[in-house]
Amino acid sequence: MNRKYFIVLLLSIFIAFGMMGGFFLPEQVEVRNEIVIYQSPRNIYQVIDNLKTWQQWSIWSYAIDTSMRYEFENDVQKMSWSGNYAGNGSIVFEKKIQDSEIQTYLSLQNDKFNMHGVIRLEITDSATTRVSWINTIMLGNNPLKRYLGSSIQNVVHRDIG
């Protein structure tokens, strides 16, 4: 067998096994962060309930990308952004439970990566509230996205951590 064909065959087998391996990786990954704040859930909820206050509390803001530009829709229930580092994305507040929880849908990189999420407020004692931000990254059946899943998870975790 010609050496070139042998190398191409070996490379093809390696790529095929690599792609098949992607199907065994998870279809979704979760990123979770939390912080304890010395305020009542009501005071915190009043700030995070309005996407126009995003700059005050979210790390996904000018703090990581000074070029970010924002647009608001649907009575401030949807915010879209574009930036050099952050790329193009959007967040929608899908469901709210007053002073307790906001369910979100986050889209990154022009809908290449989508996440359902929740911002949850839990009373820890009379003076403090635990705020949890949980995002589930949906990777689907694409083996390449599944390989990228752990790196996307690390970036999201770093940015909201």
Side-chain angles (χ1 to χ4, degrees):
M1 184 182 285
N2 187 331
R3 185 178 175 151
K4 283 183 184 178
Y5 293 119
F6 181 73
I7 290 172
V8 168
L9 178 63
L10 222 67
L11 189 58
S12 298
I13 291 171
F14 178 74
I15 290 171
F17 276 110
M19 292 293 288
M20 286 179 10
F23 287 108
F24 295 101
L25 296 172
E27 290 183 30
Q28 64 184 35
V29 292
E30 186 177 279
V31 179
R32 173 186 290 264
N33 290 77
E34 58 185 41
I35 186 171
V36 174
I37 300 177
Y38 297 98
Q39 289 286 325
S40 71
R42 169 170 273 152
N43 289 347
I44 297 167
Y45 190 87
Q46 288 175 354
V47 174
I48 66 173
D49 181 40
N50 182 344
L51 282 168
K52 287 190 176 182
T53 66
W54 184 265
Q55 291 293 325
Q56 295 174 25
W57 61 270
S58 175
I59 188 64
W60 279 338
S61 64
Y62 295 129
I64 63 165
D65 188 346
T66 57
S67 69
M68 285 182 81
R69 300 293 173 254
Y70 300 96
E71 293 180 24
F72 300 93
E73 301 173 35
N74 300 337
D75 196 27
V76 195
Q77 298 305 298
K78 178 177 182 181
M79 180 180 72
S80 301
W81 65 82
S82 63
N84 295 333
Y85 172 79
N88 296 324
S90 65
I91 187 169
V92 177
F93 283 177
E94 294 186 311
K95 183 179 176 185
K96 300 177 182 182
I97 301 172
Q98 183 71 37
D99 300 337
S100 177
E101 171 175 302
I102 299 174
Q103 294 178 13
T104 64
Y105 182 76
L106 187 64
S107 173
L108 300 175
Q109 304 304 323
N110 296 318
D111 274 342
K112 289 181 185 168
F113 296 97
N114 300 301
M115 299 175 236
H116 288 280
V118 62
I119 303 169
R120 188 168 291 131
L121 309 174
E122 301 169 83
I123 298 171
T124 54
D125 62 40
S126 62
T128 61
T129 302
R130 177 182 298 114
V131 181
S132 303
W133 187 332
I134 305 156
N135 285 296
T136 304
I137 305 167
M138 308 306 291
L139 302 169
N141 291 323
N142 184 328
L144 294 176
K145 277 189 176 180
R146 289 184 184 188
Y147 275 118
L148 288 174
S150 62
S151 63
I152 296 295
Q153 183 181 25
N154 291 337
V155 168
V156 172
H157 187 49
R158 180 197 66 218
D159 286 352
I160 69 171

